[in-house]
Amino acid sequence: MQLAPHLHRLGNDIVATYLIDTPEGITLIDAGFPGHWRDLQKEVTALGKRLSDVKGLILTHGDCDHIGFAERLRDQMGVPVYVHAADADQVRTGVRPKATTGPMRLGPAMGFFAYALRKDGLRARHVRQVEEIADEDVLPLPGKPKIIGLPGHSPGSIAIHVPIADAVMVGDAFVTRHLLTGRRGPQPAPFSQDPTAAVSSLERLAELQASWVLPAHGAPWHGSPADAVTAAQLTR
C-alpha cells in the first residue's frame, strides 16, 4: 500500500514492514513474518519491478516478527541484511534476553498470536549472514537511509530516517497499537528488555524532521516525530 511518494507499507496494523521505492532501486525496512513474503512479491510487482530491484533490507531489531523473510531474501536473491551490531547475534541465533511484557488482555493477545500463525510466524529462519551497522551510519542503499540508535526495546534497536520519503521508521521503539492490550496511539512497546532506556531513547527521534513516523505495530503516524514522542512518553 502506498502511503506517499517513494513510501509503501506491507502488512497491517498488527505487523507492518516498509518499502522505499526510488529510481535506484528498493530499500526494505523489516521483514515481518515469513508469510509476508507474498505481500512483498505483490507490492514489488505492482510497482512494475522485480525482487532483483531490492538492494538491501534493514532490520530495526532482531525479534522474530521482524526477521521473517530476511533469510529467504538473502539466500535466494543475494540481498544484504543490515542490523545493528548489538542485535546481530540474536538475528543469527534467535537467542533473546528476557524482556518485560507488561499488561495483557486475552482478546488482543490471542489476535496477535493467531495472525502470527496465519503468517507462518513459527517458521522464521535466522539470518546466517548479516551486515553489522552502527548509530549515525548512512547506508549505501536507495534513499540513503540514516541509522538512529534507540537502545531499550533491545540493545540494538534502531530507527531509520529516510529523507526522500519524508519518513522515519521506528520499529518497536514505540508502537501505535499495543499487541497485548489493543490500546491505540503512540506508547511504549511490550516485550522491551529495558523499558526505562526505551523511553529515554525517544528524545533522539524528537529532533528529526519528517512527516511520517512509522511503527512496526499500529497505524502510521502522520505528523511530526516530536509530537509522536510526546504522546508516547505520556503513556508510559
Side-chain angles (χ1 to χ4, degrees):
M1 176 179 69
Q2 185 171 19
L3 299 177
H6 306 291
L7 181 60
H8 298 251
R9 184 171 85 149
L10 313 179
N12 56 21
D13 285 2
I14 300 177
V15 176
T17 71
Y18 298 94
L19 181 156
I20 307 299
D21 177 36
T22 78
E24 294 75 35
I26 292 170
T27 296
L28 296 177
I29 313 296
D30 281 333
F33 287 124
H36 285 107
W37 178 259
R38 293 182 181 177
D39 300 73
L40 171 64
Q41 290 178 308
K42 290 178 181 178
E43 195 71 24
V44 169
T45 299
L47 290 171
K49 296 188 174 182
R50 301 178 179 180
L51 288 179
S52 57
D53 292 307
V54 178
K55 304 304 180 183
L57 165 63
I58 311 170
L59 302 177
T60 59
H61 61 290
D63 287 351
C64 62
D65 54 340
H66 294 258
I67 70 169
F69 58 71
E71 175 61 9
R72 185 173 184 178
L73 190 65
R74 186 201 68 81
D75 183 48
Q76 294 186 9
M77 304 302 301
V79 174
V81 178
Y82 297 84
V83 65
H84 191 283
D87 272 23
D89 283 343
Q90 180 183 341
V91 171
R92 286 189 289 252
T93 67
V95 177
R96 187 185 196 276
K98 186 177 180 180
T100 62
T101 58
M104 181 184 300
R105 293 175 56 205
L106 183 60
M110 291 302 295
F112 169 63
F113 291 117
Y115 182 74
L117 289 174
R118 291 198 301 274
K119 288 292 188 179
D120 294 329
L122 299 180
R123 297 171 56 189
R125 297 165 57 193
H126 306 310
V127 186
R128 296 175 59 188
Q129 180 178 339
V130 298
E131 304 294 327
E132 297 186 9
I133 55 179
D135 184 28
E136 301 290 339
D137 283 353
V138 177
L139 303 186
L141 295 174
K144 298 180 180 179
K146 182 176 181 178
I147 304 306
I148 311 296
L150 299 173
H153 182 73
S154 71
S157 181
I158 61 172
I160 299 101
H161 185 210
V162 186
I164 192 175
D166 197 20
V168 56
M169 294 75 172
V170 299
D172 285 8
F174 71 84
V175 298
T176 58
R177 173 175 174 161
H178 195 295
L179 294 175
L180 301 183
T181 68
R183 182 177 181 177
R184 306 298 180 112
Q187 60 197 293
F191 307 113
S192 287
Q193 295 178 37
D194 187 338
T196 300
V199 172
S200 62
S201 290
L202 294 179
E203 290 299 332
R204 299 201 65 202
L205 290 177
E207 305 168 358
L208 300 177
Q209 297 297 315
S211 296
W212 292 92
V213 182
L214 303 171
H217 309 293
W221 173 275
H222 195 192
S224 74
D227 288 346
V229 166
T230 298
Q233 291 174 328
L234 289 173
T235 61
R236 58 180 164 168

